[in-house]
């Protein structure tokens, strides 16, 4: 039976069938193809990087793609998750707080995603429970199969309708064998049957160990875990083997034999110096052809588009690899031991560095150890500093010491969200003489609450979803440093995630003392960017937003570009060289345009 027929026969909700497959209006069976990526052996293999690279090589061929991450946890979004455990919380333009993988997809695919691209068990089960209360299950007992799995399939088909993509990339969070994601795996198994054989491609990412004691690659954990996938009713079409070094033919043969997948479809995916190298590595191995063949998509392939995309991308990679000027930037934070908590900042610095021919090295500095007494020594080797976003009281004094030092010693400074709020506190204390200036987040009853909770956030109770979230416009003061950085634009769009803001009552006093608020919300008295003029400091910019979230490889975020340029000058590179290294593939203003409008 063709997929159309199957869908039609099970599309209606009824109590005299075992099927439950609600189909969204406008869904055309067979129109959309699906690639599903499963993780085996262990988490942390870079499933999102793999899946986004795979999506990119199909996108390069002229196909439209849209990703979705299916998370097993019950949180409705990632907003309440500790970045120390789960990596940074990525924020989409529509305000969705989600897994950091969505950032990888946005950067790799140069797409703005929405809440439809991110599902959690919390969302799926909430919808099921709401429907149960509305009596939509017509007297049936509500079960994992078919109702919960039906809801998952509905989410995938909804994305297919809304995105109108040729291929949906489904990344299932966690690893095969977890209790949390078992129903997602079941849902895609059911759906592959409903949609028809040629419309689904299952890809298993696995891990090849190389114990030092043996000095050779071993495939047993991979074999056992691939068997688990088989036991769940999924026979992968493609297997990608993660490893530190290229996976040997012998190991790939073993995997092919035990997992029953032809050797030509078992690929090595070893470590690389930049995530942006992975698409070319997958293409080189022939994984793109394997997917195209499986999904019978060769008619849609546009070779000219592919060649153009490849050359732009390889230009980026050779610039990244060949960057001439080493420069060191300090990141002052509290989660400095876990790089994933700052994933987008690391990426934004890579993009900016590549743009201006700088090889950016990072120095992680724990703010809890910084004091006025040791800050000069601690920052001795850095050419610029970033105080990134953060919450709570820990390490704030160290951040104040760092900002004071940067301000007084012409050290380039970029403050992000909390980094802007703390810059205001530092200025109020040390320049305006308000020795007790603070944020009410740190000291609720302080005498000079220069940073206070946003009026509209005061009304919201509980921790989930009570922040100002997502993309908002920022009106830039004409002639300001920041407006200059954005190609003299007067309105840009940035992404936000905060609960506190500069209290408007203190703005006159801060401004009179020399602090410039050069970016404001067009409709509320919310200060969104501050700066010190060029005559006073070579680069002192802070923003209430998270500019790192909208930086893309080919369209680096101008604030990061500005910081790296200033750091280059600090490191001894002449200002002329630092200021004149635009990307080869587009004019500077063109890249700024994309960075700001796609935010
Ligand atoms: N804690 C601050 C606030 O809630 C800053 C948040 C952040 O840096 N993302 O406003």
């Amino acid at each position: 039976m063709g997929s159309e027929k199957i869908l039609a026969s099970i599309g209606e909700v009824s109590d005299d069938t075992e099927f439950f497959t609600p189909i969204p209006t406008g869904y055309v069976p067979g129109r959309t193809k699906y690639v599903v990526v499963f993780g085996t052996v262990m988490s942390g293999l870079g499933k999102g990087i793999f899946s986004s690279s795979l999506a990119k090589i199909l996108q390069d061929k002229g196909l439209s793609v849209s990703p979705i991450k299916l998370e097993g946890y019950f949180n409705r979004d990632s907003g309440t998750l500790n970045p120390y455990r789960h990596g940074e919380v990525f924020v989409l333009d529509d305000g969705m707080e989600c897994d950091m993988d969505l950032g990888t997809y946005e950067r790799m695919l140069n797409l703005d995603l929405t809440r439809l691209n991110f599902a959690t068990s919390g969302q799926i089960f909430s919808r099921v429970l709401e429907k149960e209360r509305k009596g939509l299950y017509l007297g049936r007992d509500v079960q994992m199969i078919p109702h919960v799995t039906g809801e998952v399939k509905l989410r995938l088909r909804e994305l297919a309708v809304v995105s109108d993509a040729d291929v949906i990339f489904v990344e299932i969070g966690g690893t095969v064998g977890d209790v949390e994601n078992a129903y997602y795996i079941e849902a895609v198994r059911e759906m592959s049957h409903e949609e028809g054989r040629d419309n689904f491609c299952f890809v298993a990412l696995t891990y090849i160990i190389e114990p030092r004691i043996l000095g050779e690659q071993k495939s047993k954990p991979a074999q056992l875990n691939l068997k688990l996938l088989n036991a769940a009713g999924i026979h992968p079409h493609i297997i990608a083997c993660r490893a530190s070094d290229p996976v040997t033919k012998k190991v790939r043969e073993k995997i092919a034999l035990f997992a029953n997948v032809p050797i030509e479809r078992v690929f090595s995916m070893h470590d690389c110096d930049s995530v942006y190298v992975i698409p070319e590595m997958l293409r080189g191995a022939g994984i793109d052809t394997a997917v195209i063949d499986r999904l019978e998509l060769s008619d849609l392939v546009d070779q000219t588009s592919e060649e153009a995309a490849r050359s732009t991308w390889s230009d980026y990679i050779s610039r990244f690899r060949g960057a001439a000027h080493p420069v060191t930037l300090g990141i002052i934070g509290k989660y400095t031991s876990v790089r994933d908590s700052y994933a987008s900042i690391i990426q934004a610095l890579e993009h900016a560095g590549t743009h201006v021919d700088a090889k950016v090295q990072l120095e992680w500095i724990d703010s809890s150890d910084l004091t006025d007494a040791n800050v000069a020594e601690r920052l001795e080797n850095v050419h610029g500093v970033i105080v990134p976003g953060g919450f709570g009281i820990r390490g704030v004094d160290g951040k104040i010491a760092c900002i004071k030092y940067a301000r007084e010693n012409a050290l380039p400074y970029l403050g992000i969200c909390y980094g802007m709020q703390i810059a205001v506190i530092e200025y109020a204390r040390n320049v305006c003489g308000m020795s007790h200036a603070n944020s009410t987040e740190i000291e609720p009853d302080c005498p000079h609450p220069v940073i206070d909770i946003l009026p509209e956030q005061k009304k919201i109770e509980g921790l989930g979803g009570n922040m100002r979230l997502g993309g908002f416009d920022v009106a830039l003061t004409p002639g300001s440093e920041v407006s200059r950085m954005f190609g003299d634009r007067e309105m840009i769009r940035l992404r936000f995630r905060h609960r506190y803001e500069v209290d408007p009552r203190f703005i006159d006093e801060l401004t009179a003392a020399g602090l410039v608020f050069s970016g404001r919300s067009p409709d509320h008295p919310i200060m969104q960017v501050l700066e010190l003029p060029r005559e006073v400091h070579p680069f002192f910019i802070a923003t209430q937003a998270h500019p790192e979230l909208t930086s893309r490889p080919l369209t680096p975020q101008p604030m990061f570009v500005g910081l790296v340029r200033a750091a280059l000058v600090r490191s001894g590179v002449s200002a002329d060289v630092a200021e004149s290294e635009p990307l080869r593939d587009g004019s500077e203003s063109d890249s700024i345009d994309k960075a700001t409008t796609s935010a």
Side-chain angles (χ1 to χ4, degrees):
M1 201 180 342
S3 62
E4 219 157 311
K5 198 104 179 263
I6 294 173
L7 288 174
S9 66
I10 58 180
E12 287 153 32
V13 180
S14 140
D15 61 351
D16 54 27
T17 165
E18 287 309 306
F19 296 124
F20 176 76
T21 302
I23 303 292
T25 320
Y27 188 75
V28 182
R31 151 88 183 89
T32 316
K33 310 276 181 172
Y34 298 84
V35 173
V36 186
V37 177
F38 306 91
T40 65
V41 182
M42 63 182 201
S43 61
L45 295 181
K47 213 173 336 126
I49 294 171
F50 171 77
S51 176
S52 58
S53 302
L54 196 52
K56 162 130 186 82
I57 53 181
L58 262 67
Q59 186 193 48
D60 286 351
K61 290 179 188 298
L63 291 129
S64 60
V65 297
S66 188
I68 180 167
K69 169 117 199 223
L70 304 176
E71 283 285 12
Y73 51 68
F74 281 86
N75 310 57
R76 292 227 202 160
D77 55 45
S78 308
T80 53
L81 298 183
N82 179 351
Y84 186 72
R85 281 176 63 99
H86 297 271
E88 76 177 2
V89 177
F90 196 83
V91 184
L92 302 178
D93 189 70
D94 66 6
M96 184 67 178
E97 294 172 284
C98 55
D99 183 77
M100 56 184 284
D101 276 349
L102 278 274
T104 310
Y105 287 112
E106 285 206 341
R107 289 187 281 268
M108 197 68 94
L109 301 171
N110 196 21
L111 285 179
D112 287 336
L113 302 177
T114 72
R115 55 189 63 241
L116 278 182
N117 299 99
F118 182 63
T120 68
S121 291
Q123 294 169 25
I124 302 283
F125 282 83
S126 299
R127 267 174 93 169
V128 170
L129 295 175
E130 271 162 36
K131 286 184 178 170
E132 185 275 331
R133 287 292 85 187
K134 287 188 186 147
L136 296 179
Y137 295 108
L138 306 174
R140 274 286 312 260
D141 47 334
V142 183
Q143 295 185 291
M144 287 297 277
I145 303 169
H147 304 104
V148 178
T149 51
E151 202 59 51
V152 176
K153 295 184 283 182
L154 180 59
R155 280 295 304 263
L156 302 187
R157 290 182 172 119
E158 280 171 345
L159 179 61
V161 172
V162 175
S163 69
D164 198 26
D166 297 319
V167 188
I168 301 284
F169 279 79
V170 184
E171 177 193 341
I172 300 189
T175 43
V176 176
D178 294 349
V179 172
E180 284 88 351
N181 63 20
Y183 77 98
Y184 286 134
I185 298 177
E186 169 61 16
V188 293
R189 186 196 64 77
E190 290 172 19
M191 194 166 157
S192 70
H193 172 65
E194 295 160 9
E195 295 279 327
R197 202 185 157 276
D198 307 332
N199 297 325
F200 260 74
C201 177
F202 291 132
V203 184
L205 190 64
T206 195
Y207 185 58
I208 304 301
I209 55 168
E210 191 167 350
R212 207 180 300 162
I213 192 168
L214 297 177
E216 64 169 326
Q217 294 180 331
K218 301 296 276 180
S219 63
K220 183 67 85 185
Q223 289 171 33
L224 293 174
N225 274 263
L226 290 163
K227 281 212 161 73
L228 273 181
L229 192 56
N230 281 334
I234 306 274
H235 188 92
H237 305 108
I238 292 170
I239 297 176
C241 304
R242 282 287 291 119
S244 332
D245 300 313
V247 178
T248 61
K249 180 141 179 282
K250 189 176 148 210
V251 166
R252 287 193 298 115
E253 279 172 358
K254 271 203 172 161
I255 297 279
L257 192 64
F258 284 93
N260 213 16
V261 171
I263 177 82
E264 313 77 70
R265 288 200 252 119
V266 179
F267 299 94
S268 167
M269 202 198 140
H270 40 275
D271 292 351
C272 307
D273 54 351
S274 161
V275 296
Y276 305 114
V277 176
I278 297 171
E280 198 53 37
M281 177 169 150
L282 299 184
R283 192 161 16 221
I287 209 165
D288 51 343
T289 320
V291 177
I292 295 283
D293 289 351
R294 164 75 204 167
L295 297 175
E296 297 184 350
L297 284 168
S298 49
D299 286 355
L300 295 185
V301 172
D302 173 350
Q303 226 134 31
T304 328
S305 130
E306 184 172 27
E307 272 152 33
R310 274 181 85 171
S311 110
T312 311
W313 205 249
S314 71
D315 182 47
Y316 175 86
I317 291 163
S318 41
R319 285 178 67 88
F320 164 73
R321 288 192 168 144
H325 310 292
V327 70
T328 305
L329 290 170
I331 300 186
I332 320 293
K334 85 175 168 185
Y335 298 121
T336 50
S337 56
V338 178
R339 305 290 182 264
D340 276 0
S341 338
Y342 299 112
S344 292
I345 293 181
I346 298 172
Q347 288 293 317
L349 286 171
E350 181 189 312
H351 308 157
T354 303
H355 190 70
V356 300
D357 205 16
K359 187 125 224 122
V360 178
Q361 284 143 5
L362 303 178
E363 194 160 316
W364 300 91
I365 300 167
D366 189 339
S367 50
S368 333
D369 304 337
L370 278 182
T371 62
D372 281 330
N374 68 16
V375 67
E377 180 206 333
R378 282 315 203 16
L379 299 181
E380 199 182 339
N381 299 323
V382 302
H383 307 115
V385 280
I386 293 178
V387 171
F391 294 84
I393 196 162
R394 206 184 108 188
V396 167
D397 290 342
K399 290 178 187 172
I400 293 178
C402 163
I403 296 170
K404 178 170 188 281
Y405 180 84
R407 182 175 58 74
E408 292 177 344
N409 293 279
L411 182 64
Y413 174 70
L414 177 62
I416 297 177
C417 205
Y418 216 19
M420 162 161 160
Q421 297 175 357
I422 298 174
V424 171
I425 296 169
E426 190 278 321
Y427 208 81
R429 285 189 192 176
N430 299 324
V431 182
C432 304
M434 296 181 230
S435 54
H436 294 290
N438 216 332
S439 162
T440 53
E441 177 176 0
I442 301 163
E443 190 188 343
D445 300 319
C446 71
H448 297 118
V450 288
I451 306 294
D452 198 3
I453 197 150
L454 289 158
E456 67 260 38
Q457 310 307 123
K458 278 188 183 153
K459 298 173 224 141
I460 311 170
E461 305 240 315
L463 265 188
N466 67 359
M467 284 195 265
R468 179 169 176 262
L469 290 167
F472 293 96
D473 289 339
V474 179
L476 302 181
T477 310
S480 61
E481 289 301 323
V482 67
S483 155
R484 196 184 53 77
M485 250 183 275
F486 281 83
D488 295 326
R489 293 173 78 101
E490 291 184 7
M491 193 72 83
I492 58 169
R493 192 168 173 86
L494 294 170
R495 287 193 201 165
F496 293 79
R497 179 173 188 251
H498 66 124
R499 206 175 275 127
Y500 294 81
E501 61 159 330
V502 183
D503 186 329
R505 287 179 301 153
F506 293 94
I507 287 169
D508 286 347
E509 205 171 335
L510 289 160
T511 309
L515 200 60
V516 178
F517 289 101
S518 51
R520 299 168 187 233
S521 158
D523 356 274
H524 298 283
I526 303 178
M527 299 303 115
Q528 315 206 98
V529 184
L530 69 76
E531 63 184 62
L532 289 178
R534 264 270 166 115
E535 312 81 74
V536 180
H537 197 286
F539 187 94
F540 192 96
I541 304 269
T543 171
Q544 191 56 77
H546 286 273
E548 71 278 19
L549 301 180
T550 44
S551 182
R552 309 259 165 98
L554 303 178
T555 51
Q557 219 283 344
M559 291 182 186
F560 284 88
V561 174
L563 174 72
V564 177
R565 279 198 167 127
L568 275 177
V569 174
R570 174 96 177 179
S571 78
V573 172
S574 91
D576 292 348
V577 174
E579 297 290 322
S580 64
E581 293 283 350
L583 267 183
R584 273 181 222 129
D585 69 286
S587 74
E588 183 110 333
S589 60
D590 182 40
S591 87
I592 286 166
D593 230 46
K594 284 187 216 140
T596 51
T597 51
S598 71

